[in-house]
Amino acid sequence: MSIVSILESRVEETRKAGRYRNYVSLERKLDERPWVLEHSENGARKINVWCSNDYLGLSQHPAVVDATVETVKAVGLGTGGARSISGTSVYHTALEEKIATTHGKEAALLFSTGFTANDATLSTICDNVPDIVAFSDSLNHASMIYGIRYSKAEKKIFRHNDVAHLEELLKAYPLERPKLIAFESLYSMDGDFSPLKDILALAKKYNAFTYLDEIHAAGIYGATGTGYAEELSVLDEIDIIQGGFGKAYGGAGGYIAGPKAVVDAVRSYAPAFVFSTSSPAPVVAAALASLDYNSAHPELRARLLETVNTLKQGLKALGIPLVSDDSHILPILVGNPHRSKEISRRLIDEFGIYVQPVNAPTVPEGTERLRVTPTAAHTRQDVEAFLAAIRAVWLDVAAEAAE
């Protein structure tokens, strides 16, 4: 068989299993969020988006848009190279200094994506610290998994959020042996928080270095919005914090903040950083503006969480099962790939409500879900419309499944 025919067969298997990814072509309009134009073979129509990571709607906020436009007019778009070859601007330097300060760390480093931040940092630590053992939560993001998996480190996977299992693994190694615990504060597919304080207590007990991914909590939790660690007042107990601007901050890019020696090592040795063209200055300027605005306006975060709570209570009243109700991410448990795609299709076709189904292998088989993410831009009327739509479709699909 040819390479093309082999790949065609693989894709067809994915279709039959209900795992094939369909993309919705959207046209966003300034000041119309959470409404967008969906473009399809039938033309364009307005739909309401319920699966965006732009949790606070900052991607279209005047403070962020104006900063982007002003900067692109002042300096142009691309930086012209990697950070080491003309690609470092005053905007990059200013944002790194601000991130380090807001997180109470010695240094910070920007990346073009959050994926790169995780992959580059974890692989650099694991490849440059002799005899290190990496302990990774079983539901860590793919970027963390790849960073650890292909490194030289010995690897141990602990059951998701299972502190007892983590301790069982940790105590098998001498205190003096280098150890790294990599985990997330908020898991984006389950919507649950990690037992952060308990893991930090284990790290202290077993002399382990901690790496915390805050990318889905950054911008939303804590007094100034830096994340869940700030919410729990444990920022100073975490060695490396990773976050990004592509979610609540409404932009693009990732970052790490931590000890200067670690940040410098990543800056010096990580191929994904050293050989990548740096983020455009207007994108970095937008991140600066978003960080400043969000920190000064807690009411935006409060509005989001109020909307989330209203939707959460409505779903519970309807008996719609949630994977977790910990956070602003509300995954509706469907448990079947074909049904999850059918519910998603009917919501958009019949009600103009867009929620993307999440199927295996992104989540384990049998836990297929609709990942619902309210935003600060959704109104009470939007919430009521969503609840009416999901009730109607859920009851119909459940009845069809029972036949």
Side-chain angles (χ1 to χ4, degrees):
M1 293 179 71
S2 69
I3 290 175
V4 171
S5 59
I6 290 171
L7 293 178
E8 284 177 340
S9 296
R10 290 293 303 276
V11 172
E12 185 56 32
E13 290 172 8
T14 301
R15 288 182 188 275
K16 290 178 179 177
R19 298 178 183 177
Y20 186 76
R21 300 174 193 269
N22 294 296
Y23 298 114
V24 180
S25 181
L26 306 177
E27 180 184 357
R28 292 174 173 82
K29 297 284 189 179
L30 203 61
D31 295 331
E32 292 189 10
R33 61 188 187 280
W35 295 90
V36 302
L37 281 177
E38 177 206 10
H39 289 267
S40 69
E41 57 186 16
N42 298 319
R45 64 167 182 152
K46 290 184 72 172
I47 61 172
N48 201 304
V49 178
W50 284 88
C51 52
S52 170
N53 290 333
D54 186 16
Y55 302 126
L56 299 175
L58 283 171
S59 68
Q60 296 186 358
H61 194 280
V64 178
V65 173
D66 290 349
T68 309
V69 172
E70 289 168 9
T71 306
V72 79
K73 285 183 175 180
V75 306
L77 184 57
T79 54
R83 291 289 297 275
S84 59
I85 307 176
S86 81
T88 298
S89 72
V90 292
Y91 301 95
H92 294 80
T93 305
L95 184 52
E96 286 172 344
E97 289 174 353
K98 178 153 292 189
I99 291 169
T101 300
T102 57
H103 288 78
K105 302 301 180 187
E106 292 179 341
L109 193 64
L110 288 176
F111 298 82
S112 56
T113 68
F115 193 108
T116 307
N118 274 335
D119 190 7
T121 305
L122 287 168
S123 61
T124 298
I125 294 172
C126 290
D127 282 340
N128 287 277
V129 178
D131 207 28
I132 191 171
V133 187
F135 300 84
S136 178
D137 188 286
S138 62
L139 292 190
N140 275 343
H141 190 267
S143 56
M144 301 174 77
I145 293 170
Y146 278 96
I148 294 170
R149 177 184 292 170
Y150 298 111
S151 73
K152 301 171 186 174
E154 183 179 348
K155 306 146 188 81
K156 293 292 179 181
I157 311 300
F158 61 94
R159 291 186 291 271
H160 177 55
N161 280 348
D162 191 331
V163 178
H165 187 219
L166 175 58
E167 180 164 25
E168 180 184 326
L169 296 173
L170 283 166
K171 67 184 180 183
Y173 295 87
L175 279 178
E176 64 274 12
R177 184 165 177 184
K179 293 177 283 293
L180 167 72
I181 304 174
F183 62 111
E184 302 181 39
S185 62
L186 172 56
Y187 290 84
S188 65
M189 288 300 135
D190 281 24
D192 58 338
F193 290 115
S194 66
L196 184 49
K197 288 187 174 181
D198 292 336
I199 291 177
L200 291 175
L202 286 183
K204 185 175 182 180
K205 181 178 180 179
Y206 292 99
N207 193 31
F209 194 83
T210 50
Y211 183 99
L212 179 67
D213 179 323
E214 284 261 53
I215 203 158
H216 282 276
I220 297 174
Y221 300 95
T224 64
T226 62
Y228 192 51
E230 183 186 30
E231 179 96 356
L232 299 184
S233 302
V234 294
L235 266 173
D236 59 337
E237 297 179 41
I238 299 161
D239 295 301
I240 288 281
I241 291 177
Q242 184 267 357
F245 296 102
K247 312 299 192 263
Y249 289 111
Y255 62 80
I256 58 168
K260 186 178 185 303
V262 177
V263 172
D264 204 24
V266 175
R267 188 183 71 88
S268 301
Y269 305 133
F273 177 82
V274 174
F275 300 109
S276 289
T277 298
S278 62
S279 296
V283 173
V284 180
L288 266 166
S290 183
L291 189 64
D292 285 342
Y293 184 87
N294 188 37
S295 177
H297 292 83
E299 70 276 5
L300 195 60
R301 288 170 262 138
R303 188 191 313 158
L304 166 65
L305 296 178
E306 181 181 354
T307 300
V308 169
N309 188 59
T310 301
L311 180 60
K312 190 183 300 183
Q313 297 308 314
L315 290 170
K316 288 182 177 179
L318 292 174
I320 305 290
L322 296 174
V323 176
S324 168
D325 63 0
D326 274 7
S327 71
H328 62 283
I329 300 170
L330 302 176
I332 294 176
L333 180 61
V334 180
N336 178 283
H338 299 287
R339 282 202 292 272
S340 67
K341 293 189 77 170
E342 175 66 6
I343 293 171
S344 173
R345 184 195 64 77
R346 290 187 59 178
L347 283 173
I348 197 169
D349 287 352
E350 299 172 21
F351 297 94
I353 289 174
Y354 175 38
V355 182
Q356 186 70 19
V358 181
N359 293 339
T362 303
V363 296
E365 288 186 31
T367 69
E368 290 81 6
R369 64 202 64 179
L370 302 173
R371 182 179 177 273
V372 181
T373 52
T375 70
H378 283 103
T379 65
R380 181 170 288 274
Q381 290 73 24
D382 292 330
V383 172
E384 290 171 356
F386 181 90
L387 289 171
I390 191 69
R391 179 182 183 277
V393 175
W394 189 270
L395 289 174
D396 277 357
V397 173
E400 290 169 5
E403 291 176 356

